[in-house]
Each structure stands twice: as C-alpha cells, then as structure tokens.
Amino acid sequence: MPDLMKPINELPDGNVALYYRVKAHQSFLECARELFHLVRDAQERFPNRRRYLHLDIDGHRNEEGGYDFDMLELQSKFLTEFLMSYLAEARGPLAVLRNPHPQDNAIPEALTIFDEPPEKSDPRSRN
C-alpha cells in the first residue's frame, strides 16, 4: 500500500499521487516554486503518468477566517490558471479541480513568476 504522506507516490493503477502541505510560515512564492518542482519531479520519475495533487494548508487565515492573500492566490490563480494544465486532478481546501483536457507533460524547465505591472497613471489626473 502506498504511503500517502510521501510527496510523490506511485498508485496501484499506475497513476501518481502528489502531496503538498503548506506550512503556516511559508510564502506564496516558496509554495509555488515547491509545487512546480514537485510536478516536474513526478514527470521525471514517472513520465507521462496521470498526476493527482492533494494540497493541505496550515494556518494562513485572515481575521474573517478565510485564507490570507497568499493562499487565496495560490489556490485561485496559480493552481487553477497555471499548474492544473500539468495535472489530471487537484484536491485542495477550496475545491476539487479536474482538468477537462489531457494533462500537459511538457513541463517548462523553470518557473518564472512576475509581479503584476504597476498601475498606469490615469491621463485625466495630469495637471
């Protein structure tokens, strides 16, 4: 029986289970990089197998009890808009996501994260 607490685990059906736990002190950037490398490592160890991610998050709560900005961004942007293309499925605190397309196995060599560009000044505000 597979040890589901290992970060990468071959399943009996030939698929691959990925597990990642965000610790309370970790930043968005650190988690995004580690998740990316986890998916790349799985592709290298088990080429082209369907990948299933389970994501747990410790802490990272705001005053209202929801997730802080970093973890909301990790789940709602990074996971859904980028990482999901390299997974068959992801299970996290906010949702279960299934990739409606075949997972992409051509994972980039490196992850580059850009900050959002600064807001352009409104030309109407010039004197």
Side-chain angles (χ1 to χ4, degrees), residues 95-110:
V96 174
L97 306 168
R98 290 183 182 84
N99 190 340
H101 309 287
Q103 78 181 13
D104 186 351
N105 294 315
I107 302 167
E109 291 291 320

Side-chain angles (χ1 to χ4, degrees), residues 14-113:
N15 295 317
V16 178
L18 309 177
Y19 178 74
Y20 187 77
R21 176 178 293 279
V22 176
K23 295 177 183 69
H25 67 276
Q26 289 180 292
S27 68
F28 165 84
L29 197 54
E30 182 180 2
C31 295
R33 286 182 179 144
E34 289 180 359
L35 280 165
F36 174 77
H37 288 293
L38 180 66
V39 172
R40 271 199 56 77
D41 289 348
Q43 173 62 14
E44 289 174 11
R45 288 180 51 196
F46 303 99
N48 306 329
R49 304 248 190 113
R50 290 171 55 90
R51 292 179 287 276
Y52 294 84
L53 172 67
H54 184 89
L55 176 69
D56 282 329
I57 299 175
D58 293 339
H60 287 280
R61 297 299 185 145
N62 61 28
E63 291 177 7
E64 292 82 32
Y67 284 101
D68 65 21
F69 181 79
D70 276 1
M71 290 308 109
L72 195 55
E73 192 79 0
L74 186 79
Q75 295 175 82
S76 67
K77 299 287 185 187
F78 182 75
L79 184 58
T80 61
E81 295 178 14
F82 173 72
L83 203 60
M84 267 315 294
S85 61
Y86 307 107
L87 300 169
E89 183 178 285
R91 293 178 176 268
L94 294 180
V96 174
L97 306 168
R98 290 183 182 84
N99 190 340
H101 309 287
Q103 78 181 13
D104 186 351
N105 294 315
I107 302 167
E109 291 291 320
L111 174 67
T112 304
I113 298 176

